[in-house]
Amino acid sequence: MRRTSGRNRRRPRLQSCVLCCALSATGLLALVHLAALRAMHEKPAVPEAPYVLAAGETEVHVVFSTDCSPYQHWQSINVWYSARAVGQRGPVTRIASGCAAEEARKVAAEWLEIDPTGTFRAHFAPAGALRGGTYKYSNKPSGLYHWLTTARPPPFVDPSRGIVVLIDPDQMLLRPITAALGAGLRPSPRKGELVDADGVPRVLGHNLDGIAERVAPGVAAGQEYGLGGAWGDAGKPTAGKSWRSFDRGRVCGDGPCSRTTVREAAQSYAVGPPYVIHARDAVPLAKAWLRAVPDVHAQYPYLLAEMYGYSMAAANLSLPHAQVHHLMVSNAQAGGEGWDWVDSVPREQICGGAADSTPPLATRFDPSLPFSNDIHPPGPAAPAVVHFCQRYPAGGQKFGKHSVPHNAFSCDGGVFAFDAGKAAAAAIGAGSREAVRNAYVLCNVLPRLQAAQLAYKRDVCPKRGLTTWNEARTMHA
């Protein structure tokens, strides 16, 4: 039986994951979309802001690329609520590529229902089709470049202190992302880790010697992915099969990328989302990335072509990235992610304190804790995001993004069910490290997603003339 809010009655009425993106649109439609969005944003905003930056504080703008499908629509809303729940200091923008005019209008209207302050934004861009065909993931560089160069309002009040954090729509924030890297940290007794003055771990990575204090012009960071440096051998007899006939000259010309070694590629450019880039580097990098992807994909017509394109574009601009591990957990079988911190948590704490709409205490970030975008936020050590691109079973429950109903955020649909007791028991009694990690993801994703669904209903449904809505714990994935 459906349960409502009870207040009133309703009035009538694999290791790496990649984005699914749009395949068709025109520049003319994009102008229509932008005009529609601009008109929506010209309405007076509620005089209430979720964050206020201090004088001179770095501006951090979280952005992600999608198409206009219902599948990526619910993920987009979830990104916003996860950022709001942890107190992310700055705007969050969905770049939606290839939307029809009516789709763009509906998204823009719903975004203003969700957040009338304009901190949650939508930017509409043409679909990123490649020469001679399409590659749906090419909307990542094309959408990013379009947003950086045409967005109104502009991405930053002062680009000289702006930071772009590029994530995927299936990434949920567990804690705020700032510009800080080595700032205020010292080496830990554990190899590949930096800790703060209280000994709390803040940064993980293979090679942290000489890491910069913060992301700045010429200093970028990213989550290390299993891309390796194979493209540094491209065109040579020693290269892997997929790279043996690859002509780097088509991508790099005679730039630095053409001389990047396997070692350099593996140590400085094997990164993926979250990418953390200074605003001054973002436009040239997005432009170089956009140019690189067609020639990479033409010779490497496989998944991750756009990620290799990013690596080569960054190398061609001589923009090495601090390759860190703590920005993400995703594949419970993987290394090179933020799992070291998860593995060090006692099993009884993996799901300890988790409940409806409440994540575990061991990884719960208190958004009332003071911090700025120039330092590491306080609180317990935890990865910045969960990239929920796998299936995660624990305690008779499971989560997989492909099984999430597309009406996950609505007034009529219910919210996710979550049995904290069963998940906690599964973590404690787990027979493998992978099973513990699955419980960790489940105990973070389901309560946070449930809290986001409830917040959405309370933000949006009254604006649609409703006085009651469905809060029954009936949804599963």
Side-chain angles (χ1 to χ4, degrees), residues 303-315:
L303 290 177
L304 310 186
E306 84 290 351
M307 294 180 72
Y308 284 115
Y310 180 98
S311 299
M312 294 182 199

Side-chain angles (χ1 to χ4, degrees), residues 217-310:
V219 177
Q223 170 69 33
E224 183 172 353
Y225 277 61
L227 301 177
W231 63 267
D233 247 357
K236 300 177 182 179
T238 53
K241 182 178 180 181
S242 299
W243 298 99
R244 210 164 293 155
S245 62
F246 192 98
D247 180 5
R248 263 198 285 181
R250 289 180 57 178
V251 181
C252 310
D254 61 355
C257 166
S258 65
R259 298 180 291 278
T260 302
T261 66
V262 171
R263 181 188 178 104
E264 290 168 340
Q267 291 188 343
S268 298
Y269 302 107
V271 291
Y275 301 105
V276 189
I277 315 152
H278 193 275
R280 287 184 172 173
D281 294 322
V283 173
L285 179 56
K287 187 175 183 179
W289 187 16
L290 180 57
R291 288 176 174 173
V293 169
D295 288 315
V296 172
H297 184 261
Q299 304 177 80
Y300 184 89
Y302 311 111
L303 290 177
L304 310 186
E306 84 290 351
M307 294 180 72
Y308 284 115
Y310 180 98

